[in-house]
Amino acid sequence: MMRKIRVPFLFVLTSTLSCAQAFAPGNRRPSSLPASPSRSFQLSAFSGGGGGSGNNGINRNRVSSDFGKTQQQQQQPQQQIGTSSGQYGGGYDNYNNDGDMNFGGEYGVEEDGYGPSTSQQFRSDQFLQHISDFCIGCNDFWRGLCIPPLRDFLETKPGGTALSNPLSKIIAGPEYPGISRPLWLVMAGSFATWFNWFGYYIFVVNEELYQYELQTTGRVTTCGGYGTFVAYVFGVFIGAPLVWADIPGGEFVLESAVVWLALSQMNLYRRVNELTQESRDVMGLQGDGRMLHEWWALLPPPMNLVVGLRQIYFLSEYWRVIRGDPPATDYIAQDWLPFVAERRRFSLEELWTGQVPWFWFMKSDFNFENPFNRNQNNNRF
């Protein structure tokens, strides 16, 4: 007998309802945020030229924000949707050279006039728009299932609303641009609450990335905190009682929630890679600027923890740079666990063979008199 293929229940439900939500006329939730990033958060290194031109420390073929543009330039309609200097230009091309995820392939027309045909550009742009519509609909659908007081508390606020002290960062909701939450702070909040707060962290960072991408590019490639973590929570709250009551389908719902969260984490790592690649020179990263292997999220512990810790660290550094906050030492990432702050994307072989040290005492230049080598360059921030 042919074995039945189990399609994740949560994915089918979300796909159906999100599509209906996304394409329903007049059913789009208006954003309460400004249409472009606040200039108070514009990094000084970004201000050397217009958007998409010049060398301001950002990979020119990967620009997906409008930092450095004048207000008049922002209001001009995009005549060339696929150009490398346009609003959507180069945001998703040249990204799958080593097997990483990619949305739409190469569709940008280079300035020398060579590139795919107009029909290929249109199909790629249309595909990206469908992805954005799905993600927005998914976020709106699961947001609508939350009670109004909770939605009001989790509403994305302008950057700088929360205070800069650690406790305020822990309890703060999503902000635009996002809040820099260093690894030591995330670990402290997680351990102190038996990892209950870490679920809140997952929601907040996904929602901040969703709002940031929506405001800076007009499109999204993630479902935000509502479409990822809230969907997962509903799946657990529905599936767990069904399993406990021995009702058929309970395990299926529960497994679907776990699969959905794992896929969302992979998408989160992809998005963080895009951001670090754009600001590679500003952040002092090596290689192409991508620090994470997305597929490591599917590996068993501790390898999935490796990519998770690095995501926390580099996303925190990115928000710190965007906000213009002063550098601060993250002792957990930079001293105790040096692999976290490694400024290049290393392989599993390098990690397991000791080429990339796990702990501070595994570093080649370790000495007991100066265990953290404060006066030396340890390939870190």
Side-chain angles (χ1 to χ4, degrees):
M1 181 180 296
M2 182 179 297
R3 186 176 181 179
K4 295 182 179 179
I5 300 177
R6 299 177 61 178
V7 180
F9 166 78
L10 202 64
F11 177 78
V12 174
L13 176 63
T14 304
S15 301
T16 305
L17 296 178
S18 298
C19 288
Q21 178 84 3
F23 295 106
N27 215 16
R28 190 67 59 81
R29 175 168 59 97
S31 173
S32 59
L33 297 172
S36 61
S38 172
R39 289 301 176 268
S40 62
F41 296 105
Q42 181 174 340
L43 182 66
S44 59
F46 289 6
S47 59
S53 62
N55 185 6
N56 299 328
I58 304 176
N59 189 333
R60 190 165 176 272
N61 294 325
R62 299 283 303 165
V63 175
S64 64
S65 65
D66 58 357
F67 283 113
K69 292 183 182 179
T70 64
Q71 186 174 3
Q72 181 178 3
Q73 288 174 318
Q74 294 176 28
Q75 294 175 353
Q76 291 178 352
Q78 295 294 333
Q79 300 296 334
Q80 295 177 322
I81 298 178
T83 59
S84 59
S85 60
Q87 184 178 8
Y88 306 120
Y92 305 96
D93 58 342
N94 298 329
Y95 187 64
N96 202 20
N97 295 332
D98 55 358
D100 292 323
M101 291 190 295
N102 133 341
F103 288 91
E106 297 187 10
Y107 69 93
V109 177
E110 303 298 332
E111 293 179 353
D112 56 8
Y114 295 97
S117 63
T118 305
S119 60
Q120 289 176 323
Q121 298 173 34
F122 176 77
R123 287 195 299 268
S124 298
D125 186 71
Q126 191 177 40
F127 174 71
L128 292 175
Q129 187 61 49
H130 287 327
I131 291 178
S132 179
D133 289 339
F134 167 79
C135 292
I136 293 175
C138 181
N139 185 278
D140 288 346
F141 169 75
W142 291 105
R143 181 180 183 274
L145 297 183
C146 298
I147 58 177
L150 181 61
R151 291 201 303 265
D152 294 339
F153 175 77
L154 297 176
E155 192 70 26
T156 303
K157 300 175 179 61
T161 301
L163 300 178
S164 59
N165 62 78
L167 182 59
S168 297
K169 288 185 176 183
I170 288 178
I171 64 178
E175 289 191 7
Y176 167 77
I179 298 175
S180 175
R181 301 173 180 86
L183 179 60
W184 71 265
L185 180 66
V186 175
M187 295 182 67
S190 300
F191 290 148
T193 59
W194 291 89
F195 289 92
N196 288 302
W197 178 83
F198 188 70
Y200 180 70
Y201 169 82
I202 294 177
F203 169 85
V204 170
V205 297
N206 276 280
E207 189 65 18
E208 287 178 341
L209 289 173
Y210 171 86
Q211 293 293 342
Y212 185 74
E213 188 177 19
L214 181 63
Q215 300 299 324
T216 55
T217 69
R219 290 176 173 174
V220 291
T221 54
T222 66
C223 295
Y226 291 101
T228 56
F229 188 72
V230 172
Y232 165 77
V233 169
F234 270 90
V236 171
F237 281 177
I238 295 174
L242 294 179
V243 171
W244 180 80
D246 200 19
I247 298 177
E251 293 184 358
F252 182 56
V253 174
L254 199 59
E255 293 172 358
S256 300
V258 174
V259 170
W260 182 260
L261 185 63
L263 295 176
S264 299
Q265 284 297 107
M266 292 182 62
N267 198 28
L268 169 64
Y269 300 155
R270 176 200 60 81
R271 181 62 184 141
V272 172
N273 271 340
E274 286 186 346
L275 297 177
T276 57
Q277 188 174 28
E278 293 169 6
S279 55
R280 179 193 63 181
D281 296 335
V282 179
M283 297 178 66
L285 305 178
Q286 299 179 11
D288 62 0
R290 291 177 290 167
M291 297 290 102
L292 311 176
H293 292 281
E294 297 96 338
W295 62 273
W296 283 17
L298 304 179
L299 296 176
M303 299 315 303
N304 59 346
L305 297 179
V306 170
V307 66
L309 294 177
R310 284 173 61 81
Q311 172 264 306
I312 295 172
Y313 176 74
F314 285 106
L315 180 59
S316 174
E317 285 296 309
Y318 178 81
W319 289 136
R320 181 188 65 79
V321 168
I322 290 297
R323 284 173 170 254
D325 296 338
T329 301
D330 190 334
Y331 294 98
I332 299 295
Q334 298 176 353
D335 288 335
W336 298 94
L337 303 175
F339 71 88
V340 175
E342 186 76 15
R343 290 182 294 178
R344 63 183 180 89
R345 186 163 68 166
F346 48 82
S347 64
L348 288 174
E349 180 182 1
E350 290 177 299
L351 192 62
W352 283 111
T353 57
Q355 300 179 48
V356 177
W358 287 76
F359 305 102
W360 73 97
F361 55 81
M362 297 176 64
K363 290 188 282 189
S364 59
D365 54 355
F366 172 78
N367 64 80
F368 289 97
E369 295 181 357
N370 186 20
F372 298 127
N373 300 300
R374 291 291 185 187
N375 298 324
Q376 301 183 32
N377 181 11
N378 282 324
N379 198 30
R380 68 185 189 188
F381 291 106

